[in-house]
């Protein structure tokens, strides 16, 4: 089967970096570019991280375009306590030698999507500012997107940034509102499923048996992330949100989905950025997305580790 052409819009970010590595390790997908948005760190820092991770995995030919550094309406909110000042925890990668793509990420998305209508799947694993702006600037991209997978939101699960709201949506709720109401066929991968996907210290120890810079990077990055999860959420290990969204491109059977009308609160107040589903069809609105609400979390972690082992053997010392 031909591999699926994808673009990843990302805010790297520890689990974003893991999602990028998973994409590179997966023959089912062909990464045609990374577009970077603010979120876990500034968009400039995120773009440096994206380039450095691609170089680490010998994939520097993939273009990286930097995009928006601020949400559409809200003030900026970064996450150094979760991902470290650099965005990659304790990992110290070489400064990238590859230059950024000269286009702004919004223009890059528009150009690539319009050049291949119906052929490119978009995986969004950060705040949705770049995509929302691209949709406003060039609405013809909306029917051109083959499929959209978004890591974001918390439907029945508690929030991870406020008691109610998930980070990617809380950071730019207006952007999420634009994308959710755009009419693009989309799959949402919320905290309801990602919080069942926990990478443990034992998993990392298993990877470290292979002599390769990939496991060492994963260990250094996730050690910081695990300290965060222990200190703030009393979780042993770390939740790897973004790689799950990526994996659903080629292993959709890992999750159970329901179709619902899902919206996001942009009124302000205590539930600002909260995503909610109309489970009982009370609004009369037709479903606007497929939501992953169940997952075989450990099976996903096994898949992730196996793919990282394969990649590590290719990029051995
Ligand atoms: C999301 O927020 C970020 O911290 C992660 O990279 C992930 O995309 C989880 O809420
Ligand atoms: Ca992310």
């Amino acid at each position: 089967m031909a591999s699926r052409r994808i673009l990843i819009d990302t805010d790297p970010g520890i689990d974003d970096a893991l999602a990028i590595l998973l994409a590179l390790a997966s023959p089912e997908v062909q990464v045609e570019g990374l577009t970077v948005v603010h979120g876990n760190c500034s968009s400039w820092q995120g773009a440096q991280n994206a380039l450095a991770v691609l170089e680490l995995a010998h994939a520097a030919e993939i273009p990286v375009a930097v995009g928006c550094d601020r949400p559409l309406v809200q003030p900026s909110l970064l996450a150094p306590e979760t991902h470290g000042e650099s965005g990659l925890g304790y990992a110290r990668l070489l400064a990238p030698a590859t230059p950024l793509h000269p286009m702004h990420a919004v223009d890059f998305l528009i150009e690539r999507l319009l050049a291949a209508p119906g052929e490119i799947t978009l995986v969004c694993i950060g705040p949705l500012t770049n995509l929302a702006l691209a949709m406003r600037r060039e609405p013809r991209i909306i029917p051109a997107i083959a499929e959209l997978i978004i890591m974001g939101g918390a439907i029945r699960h508690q929030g991870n940034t406020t008691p109610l709201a998930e980070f990617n949506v809380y950071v730019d709720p207006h952007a999420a509102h634009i994308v959710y109401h755009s009419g693009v066929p989309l799959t949402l991968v919320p905290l309801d499923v990602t919080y069942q996907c926990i990478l443990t210290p034992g998993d990392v120890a298993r990877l470290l048996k292979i002599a390769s810079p990939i496991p060492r990077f994963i260990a250094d990055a996730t050690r910081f992330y695990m300290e965060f999860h222990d200190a703030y959420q009393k979780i042993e290990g770390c939740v790897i949100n973004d790689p799950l969204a990526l994996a659903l491109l080629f292993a959709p059977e890992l999750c159970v989905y329901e179709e619902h009308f899902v919206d996001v609160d942009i009124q302000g107040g205590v539930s600002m950025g909260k995503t909610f589903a109309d489970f009982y069809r009370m609004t009369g609105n037709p479903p606007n997305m497929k939501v992953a609400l169940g997952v075989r979390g450990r099976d996903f972690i096994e898949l992730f580790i196996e793919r990282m082992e394969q990649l590590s053997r290719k990029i051995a010392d």
Side-chain angles (χ1 to χ4, degrees), residues 11 15-16 40 83 125 151 160 166-168 191 241-242:
D11 59 334
D15 59 333
D16 297 77
N40 293 321
H83 295 265
I125 53 177
M151 190 281 126
N160 62 354
E166 180 277 335
F167 181 78
N168 289 339
L191 300 185
N241 308 278
D242 295 338

Side-chain angles (χ1 to χ4, degrees), residues 285-298:
N285 293 320
N288 58 347
M289 64 180 76
K290 219 163 82 175
V291 193
L293 289 171
V295 65
R296 288 187 280 116
R298 197 58 215 172

Side-chain angles (χ1 to χ4, degrees), residues 23-24 41 57 101 159 210 224 236 271 279 306:
L24 299 176
C41 51
H101 191 279
I210 303 173
F224 188 96
E236 193 191 342
S271 56
F279 285 105
E306 279 164 23

Side-chain angles (χ1 to χ4, degrees), residues 78-84 167 224 228 232:
L78 307 178
E81 73 296 337
T82 314
H83 295 265
F167 181 78
F224 188 96
F228 162 81
Y232 286 78

Side-chain angles (χ1 to χ4, degrees), residues 31-35 51 54 59-65 101 108 112:
V31 185
E32 303 214 344
L34 304 181
T35 50
L51 291 169
L54 291 177
E61 70 286 354
I62 294 173
V64 176
H101 191 279
F108 182 88
R112 295 295 166 118

Side-chain angles (χ1 to χ4, degrees), residues 30-49:
Q30 183 186 328
V31 185
E32 303 214 344
L34 304 181
T35 50
V36 179
V37 69
H38 66 94
N40 293 321
C41 51
S42 73
S43 56
W44 182 85
Q45 180 66 57
Q48 298 305 302
N49 294 345

